[in-house]
Amino acid sequence: MESLIGLLVAAPLLGAAVLLLGGRRLDRAGHWFGLAMAAVSFVLAVALFFDLLDRAGEERTLHQHLFSWVPVADFRADVAFQLDQLSMTFVLLITGVGTLIHLYSVGYMEHDERRRRFFGYLNLFLGAMLLLVLADNYLLLYVGWEGVGLASFLLIGFWQHKPSAATAAKKAFVVNRVGDVGLSIAILLMFTTFGSFAFAEVLPNADSASEGTLTGIGLMLLLAACGKSAQVPLQSWLGDAMEGPTPVSALIHAATMVTAGVYLVVRSGAVFDAAPDAQTVVVVVGAVTLLFGAVVGCAKDDIKKALAGSTMSQIGYMMLAAGLGPIGYVFAIMHLVTHGFFKAGLFLGAGSVMHGMNDEVDMRRYGGLRTYMPVTFVTFGLAYLAIIGFPYLSGFFSKDEIIYAGFSKGGTEGWILGGVMLLGAALTAYYMTRIMLMTFFGEKRWQPDANGHEPHPHESPLTMTVPMMVLAGGAVAAGFVFDAGESFVHWLEPVTGLEHGDSPVSHGQVSIAATAVMVLGVAGAWFQYGRRPVPVVAPTGSLLTRAARRDLLQDDFNHAAFVQTGSYLTRGLVYLDHKLVDGVVNGTAASFGGLSGRLRRIQNGFARSYAVSMFGGAAVLVAVTLLMRAV
Amino acid sequence: MNPQNYLYLAALLFTLGASGVLLRRNAIVVFMCIELMLNAANLALVTFSRMHGNLDGQIMAFFVMVVAAAEVVVGLAIIVMVYRSRHSASVDDASLMKL
């Protein structure tokens, strides 16, 4: 079975290679080939999953060694895969949701003449992400990590004829690079400390290193995770990434890319467990991002950007859970999987709405769409109920577990974390209800688009609605499946470990509190957007609203803190370079030039003046000789 | 006769030659002055040979004469060629350097 792992990764990469190198002759059927490669990958993943299920808990780790990549003396960096329960969970999510998104894209990108290229990039994205989660060492993980960065750059900027898309792609790439630097420093630190990159050698020996080193590694890993997972302070690329086609947003937000950071933190759990300071920072980052994303999500009128804020917030939950250590790892991953279902469903639903509305994204110009797009409405609605934590849907189970884990941290910290997460849950309910009400309820506020075409909302084709239905089914059912006999917890426990903290509140109380704040959030949104008509032009709003519409001034902050300082620094350096460095160089050259100009005059071409110098020299020599003899 | 007198004569001749080289412009005269200096040196060599009672100085003088003869052949040829092209035998006119 081990040999299937390589095939699993190879299939989408092969798809990418064929589609991108195959040229125009593949234009007509290329997308089906890309879909097939993703599906092959998914089938292999399912086969491997059942193989793992047949084994006992501790033996559920498969290794496949492909070849030695960098053999230098005793040091080895291998291209080798490791499939354990954690990787398996990710692989199923990536290939499963990925395949659905491929299918959806067949319909969504139907009229795009560069569809073949789009599927090539999608396959590349999938392959890179699989490489990332299946690598058995950090160096190979880094390859996948960079591959994901590249693919996201290509996909976000897919409509590169739009300057905004090209800029957004560059922004995502540059911000991600900041995180990548963190990962490379972390890997180098691991190498100097443990002499290896392999999970099998670094993680079990994590205790042997000093706490300072581990904190350093942990913080650098966190920086990397912040970049990929759009956590504060590297969150600014996520909103702009909505410039990409909607399936890309779904792929980035649900199955790939943003989950990579959570994977990295959970995978490196042993390092974080031994470095409590780094863990605290992870928790703080998660908590801040959770609120940050939620507040941004509440204010955006662009449906995709509102959902992007929501993703940021949900990943914040996962980060926070991952920062709690063994009491949270399992639930971070559980929320990641359920989030994969409902967020992919939400994005695909948003794409379906845009598809029917002439690519309009402003929710203030939607309204009353539920009768025109019944399938989209129902699937979007189920995913909506799942994300706000409606009782017994998937978000209810996973989010409550995280909130409970937060309380289990104990003491004041536990209360603060639990409170923050409950507040986040209320905000989640608020912004999701807002999206729901503005899009599907109320009166029609449709406007003709820039070319004067009236929108004619219609249900999307089957290739688009089927994935949405499957995802909605997953969003509803995943919670039951995971919760039944705590199957998910038992499945992941051998890899991540599991501890129970002593929580001041019981499970039941947390569920009741979470449901209560959810109802509050829904009611708040209904009072504002359901009870009275939604204005087509956004009201000015309070200071906070205006700030949140500008993504809480993240770009202004980055501009002031980094762009401005950077340009001042550059200007200063240029000045120094001109005045100091060039001054020294030019001054030296000028003085030598002047000196040689004067020395040149000795060579005047008159034989007799040369003779004088010869005689003079001879006289001097004689004089010196005589003097030396006298002394 | 005191051999030192020959040395005085050699010094006098050398000085004459040196001043001629430095002061005269005509290449032929400069050339003759160089010969004068060479021969002053020869005289000094022969005198020292005599004073020390060995033949080293005299052998050296023969070498100097051979070199001087060769030099005259080459030097005169150059002077003649320069005169043909520039219609002047002045050493100062032969300078083409830009200052």
Side-chain angles (χ1 to χ4, degrees), chain A residues 247-498:
Chain A
V248 175
S249 311
L251 199 57
I252 288 181
H253 287 247
T256 59
M257 187 97 181
V258 294
T259 59
V262 182
Y263 171 77
L264 186 69
V265 174
V266 174
R267 175 58 84 193
S268 316
V271 173
F272 284 98
D273 291 343
D277 291 342
Q279 258 184 338
T280 311
V281 181
V282 177
V283 169
V284 170
V285 164
V288 170
T289 311
L290 185 168
L291 292 180
F292 189 105
V295 170
V296 170
C298 289
K300 289 283 183 187
D301 288 330
D302 179 326
I303 185 168
K304 283 175 74 184
K305 292 199 171 165
L307 288 175
S310 155
T311 301
M312 210 188 280
S313 167
Q314 300 301 318
I315 304 279
Y317 273 104
M318 298 170 207
M319 270 299 169
L320 200 162
L324 292 174
I327 53 176
Y329 290 140
V330 174
F331 305 117
I333 301 301
M334 184 161 151
H335 194 54
L336 196 150
V337 176
T338 56
H339 175 258
F341 282 116
F342 52 67
K343 188 48 67 64
L346 289 171
F347 265 111
L348 296 189
S352 173
V353 170
M354 286 163 58
H355 199 67
M357 293 291 288
N358 295 346
D359 287 329
E360 178 65 71
V361 289
D362 188 351
M363 291 190 289
R364 293 187 184 277
R365 297 181 176 189
Y366 290 166
L369 289 175
R370 66 182 183 284
T371 48
Y372 296 88
M373 303 179 174
V375 180
T376 307
F377 168 62
V378 171
T379 53
F380 195 94
L382 289 173
Y384 152 76
L385 291 176
I387 191 175
I388 64 171
F390 193 81
Y392 303 106
L393 297 186
S394 58
F396 172 75
F397 293 104
S398 53
K399 199 185 291 179
D400 284 7
E401 289 290 359
I402 292 182
I403 298 176
Y404 181 70
F407 277 116
S408 309
K409 181 85 174 161
T412 330
E413 266 180 82
W415 282 104
I416 294 175
L417 292 179
V420 164
M421 283 192 279
L422 283 176
L423 178 59
L427 288 172
T428 307
Y430 176 83
Y431 64 71
M432 283 314 300
T433 311
R434 176 174 175 270
I435 293 174
M436 199 69 191
L437 290 173
M438 284 173 88
T439 306
F440 293 104
F441 293 89
E443 76 279 23
K444 303 171 194 172
R445 299 181 301 275
W446 312 339
Q447 311 269 326
D449 67 9
N451 301 328
H453 297 300
E454 281 290 333
H456 298 286
H458 52 84
E459 192 51 86
S460 302
L462 270 183
T463 47
M464 289 169 69
T465 48
V466 168
M468 284 151 57
M469 290 183 232
V470 175
L471 287 169
V476 172
F480 286 117
V481 178
F482 293 165
D483 197 55
E486 299 209 311
S487 59
F488 196 79
V489 175
H490 291 310
W491 162 253
L492 268 189
E493 197 185 334
V495 184
T496 59
L498 179 67

Side-chain angles (χ1 to χ4, degrees), chain B residues 81-96:
Chain B
M81 292 310 288
V82 168
Y83 183 79
R84 273 195 191 162
S85 65
R86 310 181 71 88
H87 302 289
S88 151
S90 164
V91 286
D92 285 1
D93 285 353
S95 168
L96 292 174

